[in-house]
Amino acid sequence: MATPSATASAFGARDHARAQQGTKSDTMPVLPASSWPTPPEGIVSEDLVWAETVAGGSYTHKVLARGTELRLTDLTGDACAHVLLYSADRPWERLNAADTVKVLWSAYLGEGHLLLSDQGRVLASITEDTSGRHDALTGTSTLARNTERYGDGTPQSASPAGRELFKLAALKNGLGPRDIPPSVSFFQGVRITADGTTEFTGSAGSGRSVTLRAEQPLTALIVNVPHPLDPRPTYICGHLEVLAYRARPTTPADALWDVTPEGRRAFLNTAEHLTARGIA
C-alpha cells in the first residue's frame, strides 16, 4: 500500500496509479478477453468477448450480442452465480423466474431449459450443464437477512447481500432498484420435497459449469454471493469464472425449438419480435 504522503498530491496519485500497469489481479477482467490463457475447448481465443474471475461477494455485468454463449464455472465448489437478464435496449423486458418455471412446467433448471422474459420470449437457453445444482425459486440474499445472519449486508462489508450488489450492477446499466426482479442462481441446488418444504442440496463440486446462449441481445447482471438457504453460519463464497464467446443463436432446425409446445411458442414469439426489428 502507498503511504499517505505518496498519494497526497495529484502527481503522487498519478504515479502510484501508473505503477500498477502490468500488475495482475486474479479477479480483474482480462483485457482483451482474447488474451485469456485457457479458452473453452473448441473455442478460438479471438472469439472470446468476456473473460473474468468474480470473487465471492462481488458482481459483474456485460451487454452481449445475440448468439453469444456465456459459460459460468464454479472454481471451488462454493460459488453461487445469481443471474438477471434484460433485453439489451428494452430493459423493461427482463427475466421472469416465475414464467421460466411455470410456462415450461419445470421447477428445476438444467440443459435445454429456457430462461423466459415477462413477454413470453426466450432471453437465453441453457446449452450445457455439468452441475445440476441450481435454483429458480428462492432468489438472492437481502440486506435485512444478511445483517441478521452475518452482522452486515451492505455492498462494502465482508458479507454483501445479493440484492445490494444487483443494485450497483443495475445502476451501471441505467437501471434502478425497481428494475430488479427475482433472480435465478446456479451451482447451489434447491429441491422441493414431497411435503412442499424447501431442501437445500448445495454444490455438485468444483469445476462444474453451465452455459447460457443469448437468444436476443442481452444485458447480463451476475452476482456471486452465498445462497440465502446456505446453512453454514459464516459467509462462504468461492471464485466464479465468467467467459463469453461468439456463437450462434438457435434456428427453427435446432431440436431445442421442439422440446415442448410451450418452448416452441416462446421461440416463435422471439423470432417474430427479432424479425420485425430487423435483428433476425
Side-chain angles (χ1 to χ4, degrees):
M1 295 290 292
T3 62
S5 60
T7 57
S9 71
F11 292 113
R14 180 198 63 188
D15 292 343
H16 172 66
R18 288 181 176 177
Q20 311 310 307
Q21 180 70 26
T23 62
K24 293 185 178 180
S25 166
D26 65 352
T27 57
M28 286 289 287
V30 172
L31 301 175
S34 58
S35 63
W36 183 261
T38 54
E41 183 177 356
I43 303 301
V44 297
S45 296
E46 290 72 18
D47 282 337
L48 286 169
V49 297
W50 188 9
E52 183 173 354
T53 303
V54 183
S58 192
Y59 70 94
T60 188
H61 55 96
K62 187 75 72 176
V63 178
L64 301 173
R66 176 174 177 255
T68 302
E69 291 195 348
L70 172 63
R71 194 186 77 169
L72 308 174
T73 302
D74 179 359
L75 296 179
T76 68
D78 284 319
C80 187
H82 303 259
V83 175
L84 285 176
L85 303 174
Y86 302 78
S87 180
D89 59 350
R90 303 172 66 256
W92 52 88
E93 181 173 1
R94 59 195 57 161
L95 177 68
N96 188 304
D99 282 356
T100 291
V101 168
K102 177 181 65 178
V103 173
L104 298 174
W105 302 99
S106 176
Y108 304 116
L109 302 175
E111 186 171 324
H113 207 109
L114 310 179
L115 303 181
L116 301 183
S117 78
D118 50 6
Q119 303 294 313
R121 302 185 185 109
V122 187
L123 293 172
S125 51
I126 301 177
T127 61
E128 295 182 7
D129 176 21
T130 65
S131 170
R133 303 287 183 91
H134 313 305
D135 179 22
L137 303 173
T138 309
T140 193
S141 53
T142 63
L143 175 62
R145 180 60 172 152
N146 273 32
T147 301
E148 178 185 347
R149 291 189 66 185
Y150 309 117
D152 200 348
T154 57
Q156 297 77 23
S157 72
S159 50
R163 183 168 172 82
E164 298 308 297
L165 295 180
F166 269 134
K167 289 179 183 178
L168 297 182
L171 182 63
K172 293 181 178 180
N173 289 276
L175 306 172
R178 64 179 294 179
D179 298 307
I180 301 173
S183 57
V184 298
S185 60
F186 298 96
F187 305 122
Q188 301 291 332
V190 168
R191 309 290 291 185
I192 303 301
T193 64
D195 64 3
T197 58
T198 304
E199 178 186 14
F200 180 72
T201 58
S203 169
S206 62
R208 305 304 178 98
S209 65
V210 62
T211 302
L212 312 180
R213 177 171 49 203
E215 301 294 354
Q216 55 179 287
L218 295 178
T219 299
L221 310 184
I222 302 172
V223 166
N224 184 26
V225 297
H227 192 280
L229 297 183
D230 190 327
R232 293 175 291 186
T234 55
Y235 190 96
I236 299 173
C237 191
H239 282 19
L240 173 72
E241 181 183 271
V242 178
L243 298 177
Y245 43 88
R246 298 183 186 92
R248 295 181 179 180
T250 58
T251 68
D254 194 308
L256 194 59
W257 274 55
D258 292 307
V259 173
T260 67
E262 295 82 9
R264 180 172 180 78
R265 180 68 180 184
F267 272 117
L268 288 171
N269 286 342
T270 309
E272 183 273 337
H273 170 69
L274 295 175
T275 300
R277 300 185 62 202
I279 297 175

